[in-house]
Amino acid sequence: MKLFIDTANLAAIREVSGWGIIEGVTTNPSLIALEGRGLVEVINEITKWIHGPISAEVKEDVAEAMVEEAFTYARMHPDIVIKVPMTLEGIKTTKILSKHHIKTNVTLVFSVAQAMMAAKAGATYVSPFMGRLDDATNTQDAGYRLLEDIRYAFDMYDIETQIIAASIRHPMHAEQAMLAGADVATIPYQVLCDMLEHPLTKKGLAIFREAQEKNTSK
Ligand code: E4P
């Protein structure tokens, strides 16, 4: 499973690019708005730091306008993936872009039926939202079960559309994404940091350091 960072924050992107394990970036209009800059400017900057798929979401609502907007972003850099909402207009857009060999990420997916429609349109990626589904169902595994079901269905029919586990809120979501067979997990910066840690790792390291110190003072 590949790890992408889910942010438009350039400081975070610059930092994780140095970790050597982050292979792509997803943004959305809320994340871009948080930066107080325009999408084109932010996306251009991101391409300097991460060499892999970078999702840029269209703002338009109607297929014709979405396609035009998508062409503008796609021309910016070969790594750009056009993020399209899971609507009828988004599906029409995805179909047209796939005919032009432009990569797409169909976002806001909450059911196998939606994933099926996106795959039929030739989506490169679908993004099921784990956190928002768990919140809406007041569970800790609705997102996990959705990922498992999409994985099962895609494998059964040899569908090549890749699954991006999105809306990840904590390390357990990342673990669930991996166990469910997601192709990618897109993860906010703080959750990536949390994934590096475990209280027993910290405790174990403190014990080792103390032993080293005692040994060198002899
Ligand atoms: C995915 O591509 C989205 O940007 C993101 O994962 C949404 O997460 P949220 O539900 O935390 O806003």
Side-chain angles (χ1 to χ4, degrees):
M1 183 180 75
K2 290 183 175 173
L3 298 180
F4 289 3
I5 185 165
D6 191 28
T7 189
N9 183 272
L10 293 173
I13 289 167
R14 267 198 297 269
E15 195 201 312
V16 301
S17 73
W19 295 6
I21 58 170
I22 304 300
E23 298 181 75
V25 182
T26 53
T27 66
N28 65 39
S30 311
L31 295 171
I32 297 279
L34 278 178
E35 300 311 302
R37 298 163 79 185
L39 181 139
V40 168
E41 195 188 342
V42 173
I43 296 290
N44 257 328
E45 279 292 320
I46 296 174
T47 59
K48 294 178 193 159
W49 296 97
I50 297 280
H51 307 295
I54 298 166
S55 286
E57 187 158 344
V58 290
K59 297 172 198 145
E60 298 290 345
D61 291 324
V62 178
E64 203 175 68
M66 281 184 187
V67 170
E68 205 172 308
E69 190 185 354
F71 281 146
T72 309
Y73 301 153
R75 273 194 290 267
M76 284 166 57
H77 195 281
D79 286 343
I80 304 298
V81 173
I82 307 301
K83 210 173 181 189
V84 176
M86 181 53 231
T87 59
L88 176 56
E89 295 301 305
I91 289 300
K92 291 183 202 166
T93 302
T94 303
K95 184 71 195 179
I96 295 167
L97 295 179
S98 88
K99 279 188 185 155
H100 284 85
H101 307 288
I102 292 174
K103 291 188 177 143
T104 51
N105 172 2
V106 175
T107 188
L108 290 163
V109 166
F110 292 94
S111 70
V112 176
Q114 288 182 319
M116 184 197 316
M117 301 301 255
K120 283 278 173 198
T124 316
Y125 302 99
V126 284
S127 288
F129 274 36
M130 302 184 79
R132 292 195 201 182
L133 192 57
D134 281 1
D135 292 348
T137 52
N138 205 18
T139 66
Q140 290 193 317
D141 65 352
Y144 176 42
R145 284 186 284 110
L146 173 62
L147 284 180
E148 280 190 322
D149 289 349
I150 297 173
R151 176 79 282 152
Y152 180 76
F154 279 11
D155 286 350
M156 188 166 23
Y157 290 97
D158 285 330
I159 290 170
E160 284 178 10
T161 301
Q162 295 180 54
I163 304 167
I164 302 183
S167 188
I168 287 185
R169 301 273 163 77
H170 41 65
M172 196 182 79
H173 274 149
E175 292 177 2
Q176 289 176 330
M178 196 170 202
L179 293 170
D183 298 287
V184 179
T186 189
I187 305 177
Y189 173 76
Q190 189 51 53
V191 179
L192 286 169
C193 294
D194 294 344
M195 286 165 66
L196 294 166
E197 297 198 3
H198 190 283
L200 292 178
T201 305
K202 212 172 254 179
K203 193 174 167 189
L205 197 57
I207 293 168
F208 289 151
R209 291 284 173 268
E210 200 185 323
Q212 270 169 350
E213 266 168 42
K214 276 187 190 148
N215 202 28
T216 49
S217 58
K218 272 185 193 162

